[in-house]
Amino acid sequence: MPDAEAQTRPILIASNRLPFTAHRSAGGIEFKPSAGGLVTALEPVLRKRGGTWVGWPGLAQKKGETLHFEAGDDAGYEVAPVGLSETEVNRYYHGFSNRTLWPLFHSMHERAAFDRRDWEAYRAVNERFASVASGSAGDADLVWIHDYHLMLAPASLRQALPGVRIGFFLHIPFPPFDVFRLLPWDREILRGLLACDLVGFHVAGYAQNFLDCVERRLGARVDRRTQRIEWGDRTIQVGAFPIGIDFDAFANKARAAAPSPEAGRERIVLGVDRLDYTKGIPERFLGFERLLERHPEHRERVVLLQLAVPSRAQVSEYKELKREIDELVGRINGRFATASWSPIRYLYRSVPQERLVALYRDADIALVTPLRDGMNLVAKEYVACQVDEPGVLLISEVAGASETMREALAVNPYSPDETAETLHRALTMEEDERASRMASLRRRERRYNLEHWVNGFLEAAGRESQALALPLEQDFETWLEPFLARYRVALFLDYDGTLTPIVDHPADATLPEAARRGLDACAARSDTDLSMVSGRGLADIRAMIGRDDVTYAANHGLEIEGPGFEPFLHEDLPHYQARMPELTQALSESAPEGAWVEEKGHTSTFHFRQANAEDHARAADEARRIINGFGFQARDAKMAVEARPPIGWDKGRAVLHVLRSRYGPSWSERVRVVYVGDDHTDEDAFRLLEGLAITFRVGRAEEPTAASHRLGHVEDVHELLDWLAQRPTHELHES
Ligand code: GDG
């Protein structure tokens, strides 16, 4: 679709909170609009294009209570509330979102709690968000999901609406790999985000961290230059979109605001934060104390005015922090106060915006020293409100904002000495330097404002993701070359969906020419042994490949034949084989038109791909019931249900049998194993080989996998075969 047309289609926004908050009062439930920057930025987009905002109204739902909300007649968009019970508010919101993800993503892992019940609530609530979103999406052109509360929702939404475009923006940092991996559910979170078309972060460093995690934890192909990820058959674009503020609105309000009562007597050093341990409030106070110790000339001339907005007061960490701050203020004020001056003025409350902008305008210095911060809007708002005498901005090196606000004075928030010295420098800075620095900061923030951010993200989300430009050989080399070098290679390949595309009838899935060439070239190498691991019967898979020097593990490995070792047939098989004809007949009788049964000796497969789509679910249920009734194990496959003898044998056990029979019990010292498969019967082999082999899962991104890497298509497997056939020949380590 042309970009211009796409920009006028409705849009769906999903965020933890709706643009207004519900409160219970004596007169019933009341709604108050939320005045946050994000709401101000996104509402006009919704009004213009139409669409829906999905979110939690901020109130725990009582049993049997239904909450109904409307954006108001003139809003021009719909509101779809997601109800949460009190337990869910505790576990999903206070628990997993704010006690696990918030500290971990701010690289404060020692504060993070990992509780499986919180995780389960998070998963359930994310699924509910996705289901409300898919029910409200209508003809929305894009679903834009916000923040760390909803990182699994994209995956559920993708399942419900496979064709929808999904954009995600993370408002907090994305941590480095060695911090992120501490999360017991790290892969699930990554997989959730990879269901998007675009994943946006504030700064390039967070996007890099995400790419590292996806590459190292999921084995996805990553193109760092274009910031793209190949995930099975899909491509995901990643990018940095530094958020801005409504600069002109802040500047205009600052021009209009009445003088702050605090202005005039002493010079003001201003801190404005939610009361949160990431914001570094105690550390900031210690830096200010050090200033007063080292530079007594500032005593009675400067005051640190700290606004701390109450936040997440139910979480114990925050209660503890409040106590710590109260004590620190008391101690420092007790130490330095005189009859007419107290060094720290601390307000634990929120103030109206007119008063906030006046403070920003009248403050001589803004002390923005979070210990870690996604971006930090306070720094930007301060700059926008500097409409009179230019002040100085001190910014923590580890706030996202410091990446672009280069003319601010950067500080390490953990160092009281550095904070003190930088404060001293700011307090003694000449007017012309202050003016130059502030003018540059203001110019940039005016240009890269909130509207610029919204438009930039929406434009990127509307662009089709191009496939990776990186040649596959390069990744094969990185993944395989160091692992294989100087070792014999045992290559295990599934057939259908791996070497050949899936077709309606298995008999039509003949080996493509490219696969034949690759297989022949691999087999021709004296340092490579080939094995086929297939659900097909032995004669069938042998005929499809047509080589005698290959090992065949047929019927999911129940029957194995290969060069150099005794043929294998599981000892319990004859018993089940005797029952097979009867089972096949029962399955055939249950089959609706188009469905059919493939008998393969020891196993049997009920195929329903060609039956009417509306019969699929019922036919599969019935087949499972019959299979179980005969004492066989029913396993779902692609548009099919397989009947297998329930003897605890699978492709993983079969691979192990081949390796032990061929190379002895110390096989792992003698060969390097590569396994390629495309469906969930291959997962048994992927799991067994975890840490022992390089494994590839081919195809659909939505299927979870234990494989170490993914490939998009059958053609990529052909390239892998070519690479393996042409890899450098080394003198073997041990033969
Ligand atoms: C998250 C990320 C990222 C504060 N006190 C009062 C008040 N505020 C307003 C400020 C500002 C907002 O609160 C705080 O925004 P920050 O960006 O500083 O921090 P978080 O709340 O942690 O936000 C952050 C942001 O998302 C956006 O992506 O920058 O890194 O952590 O707008 O003005 N507003 C009023 N009275 C107060 O007393 N009216």
Side-chain angles (χ1 to χ4, degrees):
M1 176 185 317
D3 277 0
E5 193 189 326
Q7 304 259 322
T8 59
R9 296 268 302 274
I11 178 173
L12 187 141
I13 289 174
S15 59
N16 175 53
R17 297 297 283 267
L18 282 172
F20 51 81
T21 307
H23 301 269
R24 273 199 186 83
S25 68
I29 292 173
E30 287 176 7
F31 313 118
K32 279 198 204 148
S34 322
L38 203 64
V39 174
T40 328
L42 295 176
E43 258 209 317
V45 183
L46 270 181
R47 279 177 200 277
K48 191 165 121 207
R49 294 172 55 154
T52 309
W53 196 314
V54 175
W56 172 51
L59 192 71
Q61 204 164 356
K62 295 190 172 150
K63 261 213 165 81
E65 184 181 45
T66 49
L67 303 173
H68 184 69
F69 299 91
E70 274 172 23
D73 288 346
D74 59 343
Y77 66 92
E78 307 284 324
V79 167
V82 178
L84 299 183
S85 70
E86 201 168 329
T87 313
E88 285 168 339
V89 173
N90 282 331
R91 293 209 168 277
Y92 145 79
Y93 180 64
H94 297 307
F96 200 74
S97 297
N98 288 332
R99 247 193 312 261
T100 308
L101 294 173
W102 176 267
L104 190 74
F105 276 44
H106 285 84
S107 292
M108 299 182 172
H109 65 87
E110 68 289 356
R111 286 187 186 266
F114 301 111
D115 184 330
R116 190 182 41 78
R117 290 162 305 175
D118 288 353
W119 159 249
E120 278 160 9
Y122 181 84
R123 204 169 47 193
V125 170
N126 268 256
E127 275 168 19
R128 190 165 326 139
F129 265 83
S131 109
V132 173
S134 67
S136 325
D139 62 345
D141 183 51
L142 174 75
V143 176
W144 188 1
I145 302 178
H146 288 266
D147 229 1
Y148 61 102
H149 316 87
L150 298 179
M151 290 191 287
L152 295 178
S156 313
L157 185 61
R158 173 72 59 209
Q159 263 182 352
L161 301 174
V164 75
R165 286 196 80 70
I166 309 176
F168 180 92
F169 187 81
L170 185 70
H171 289 263
I172 64 174
F174 195 93
F177 169 72
D178 56 350
V179 173
F180 181 72
R181 70 189 305 188
L182 300 175
L183 182 68
W185 306 278
D186 59 342
R187 292 176 197 222
E188 285 88 337
I189 295 286
L190 295 175
R191 282 197 284 261
L193 293 174
L194 290 181
C196 296
D197 297 285
L198 173 67
V199 182
F201 301 91
H202 280 306
V203 298
Y206 308 156
Q208 288 303 329
N209 288 345
F210 179 64
L211 294 176
D212 283 351
C213 290
V214 162
E215 187 174 48
R216 296 177 68 178
R217 288 304 277 165
L218 295 181
R221 295 221 300 141
V222 161
D223 183 346
R224 280 163 201 283
R225 196 182 56 78
T226 59
Q227 301 204 297
R228 288 196 199 117
I229 299 167
E230 182 185 282
W231 182 233
D233 54 355
R234 300 186 48 251
T235 308
I236 294 99
Q237 179 73 55
V238 170
F241 301 88
I243 199 167
I245 57 162
D246 187 348
F247 186 96
D248 289 335
F250 272 97
N252 291 337
K253 281 183 195 154
R255 280 188 199 98
S260 322
E262 290 81 0
R265 259 165 43 89
E266 297 101 359
R267 302 182 72 191
I268 299 175
V269 175
L270 179 66
V272 177
D273 307 87
R274 275 187 308 101
L275 189 99
D276 193 298
Y277 52 80
T278 61
K279 302 291 182 183
I281 300 172
E283 291 77 2
R284 182 179 308 168
F285 287 178
L286 294 176
F288 188 67
E289 179 182 32
R290 190 64 48 89
L291 172 84
L292 300 177
E293 273 170 15
R294 285 202 185 170
H295 299 280
E297 67 272 26
H298 297 303
R299 294 183 195 172
E300 297 192 90
R301 296 206 172 87
V302 177
V303 60
L304 171 57
L305 177 59
Q306 176 67 50
L307 278 188
V309 181
S311 172
R312 304 174 195 169
Q314 297 88 329
V315 179
S316 59
E317 229 86 19
Y318 291 72
K319 288 189 194 137
E320 175 59 32
L321 175 68
K322 179 170 181 303
R323 226 182 350 261
E324 186 190 349
I325 292 175
D326 286 346
E327 280 171 22
L328 205 53
V329 172
R331 185 178 68 68
I332 298 172
N333 278 347
R335 182 172 169 201
F336 293 100
T338 62
S340 57
W341 172 76
S342 282
I344 300 179
R345 180 127 193 258
Y346 168 59
L347 304 181
Y348 176 61
R349 70 179 95 109
S350 98
V351 301
Q353 211 185 27
E354 308 77 73
R355 171 137 159 70
L356 179 66
V357 294
L359 277 172
Y360 281 146
R361 182 197 56 205
D362 299 334
D364 297 83
I365 291 170
L367 191 48
V368 182
T369 54
L371 304 178
R372 189 74 63 171
D373 214 334
M375 175 56 79
N376 195 294
L377 299 179
V378 167
K380 300 190 171 214
E381 292 165 7
Y382 173 69
V383 161
C385 293
Q386 286 290 294
V387 290
D388 291 342
E389 169 87 352
V392 184
L393 171 65
L394 263 68
I395 181 109
S396 157
E397 283 161 353
V398 284
S402 78
E403 297 242 334
T404 50
M405 302 184 88
R406 292 187 297 273
E407 301 80 0
L409 302 186
V411 284
N412 175 344
Y414 286 96
S415 164
D417 293 337
E418 200 176 312
T419 306
E421 289 314 315
T422 316
L423 260 177
H424 177 65
R425 180 175 166 204
L427 285 163
T428 53
M429 191 182 280
E430 296 294 339
E431 208 240 322
D432 54 352
E433 183 181 346
R434 279 189 276 128
S436 307
R437 288 179 181 276
M438 193 48 76
S440 302
L441 286 166
R442 286 174 58 78
R443 211 173 303 123
R444 186 180 306 106
E445 293 310 322
R446 182 182 294 123
R447 175 150 181 221
Y448 298 109
N449 62 8
L450 193 50
E451 200 185 341
H452 180 273
W453 175 76
V454 171
N455 292 341
F457 187 92
L458 290 179
E459 204 182 291
R463 272 197 297 270
E464 278 304 323
S465 291
Q466 305 281 318
L468 260 60
L470 271 189
L472 266 166
E473 300 96 82
Q474 218 163 299
D475 283 310
F476 291 149
E477 204 169 302
T478 316
W479 297 333
L480 291 164
E481 176 60 26
F483 176 71
L484 302 184
R486 303 190 56 227
Y487 280 89
R488 189 166 192 80
V489 172
L491 174 60
F492 291 85
L493 299 163
D494 168 57
Y495 186 78
D496 298 276
T498 300
L499 290 181
T500 74
I502 297 281
V503 292
D504 279 348
H505 203 287
D508 299 332
T510 49
L511 195 63
E513 193 39 45
R516 156 100 37 225
R517 239 190 1 251
L519 278 183
D520 289 347
C522 284
R525 286 183 67 123
S526 60
D527 60 357
T528 305
D529 300 324
L530 284 182
S531 300
M532 296 303 304
V533 188
S534 170
R536 289 180 181 249
L538 187 58
D540 183 7
I541 183 65
R542 203 185 260 291
M544 286 295 178
I545 300 293
R547 294 190 67 104
D548 289 335
D549 52 0
V550 168
T551 298
Y552 295 98
N555 276 320
H556 300 289
L558 290 169
E559 206 176 351
I560 307 175
E561 275 184 29
F565 65 95
E566 286 291 304
F568 167 84
L569 189 66
H570 197 285
E571 60 186 10
D572 294 346
L573 277 181
H575 163 75
Y576 286 96
Q577 198 170 7
R579 309 208 60 193
M580 190 52 93
E582 242 183 294
L583 168 60
T584 305
Q585 194 185 344
L587 284 173
S588 307
E589 282 165 11
S590 82
E593 204 179 314
W596 57 285
V597 185
E598 182 189 8
E599 217 215 279
K600 297 183 284 189
H602 308 297
T603 65
S604 197
T605 306
F606 175 80
H607 293 270
F608 55 84
R609 179 183 297 273
Q610 289 145 298
N612 277 336
E614 60 267 26
D615 293 336
H616 284 182
R618 201 189 39 77
D621 273 352
E622 181 62 6
R624 278 185 221 110
R625 198 186 58 74
I626 294 172
I627 292 167
N628 292 331
F630 272 80
F632 281 71
Q633 187 187 20
R635 291 273 303 245
D636 291 339
K638 283 187 179 158
M639 297 283 187
V641 183
E642 289 173 346
R644 291 206 234 164
I647 49 186
W649 194 260
D650 55 39
K651 286 185 172 181
R653 302 290 301 276
V655 168
L656 198 58
H657 179 84
V658 172
L659 290 167
R660 292 174 67 93
S661 313
R662 229 176 148 172
Y663 311 104
S666 58
W667 60 268
S668 63
E669 289 162 36
R670 307 186 58 193
V671 280
R672 287 291 154 101
V673 179
V674 176
Y675 186 109
V676 194
D678 79 305
D679 78 18
H680 74 109
T681 63
D682 297 301
E683 290 296 328
D684 296 317
F686 296 147
R687 264 189 301 276
L688 184 123
L689 291 171
E690 253 174 335
L692 294 169
I694 302 262
T695 55
F696 293 92
R697 167 107 187 212
V698 186
R700 286 194 13 112
E702 281 69 47
E703 310 272 343
T705 184
S708 62
H709 298 86
R710 293 197 90 119
L711 292 175
H713 309 278
V714 164
E715 292 72 30
D716 300 344
V717 182
H718 302 162
E719 280 200 47
L720 172 63
L721 293 178
D722 288 344
W723 186 89
L724 285 166
Q726 285 157 26
R727 73 186 193 276
T729 315
H730 295 282
E731 195 184 319
L732 289 191
H733 186 64
E734 193 181 343
S735 58

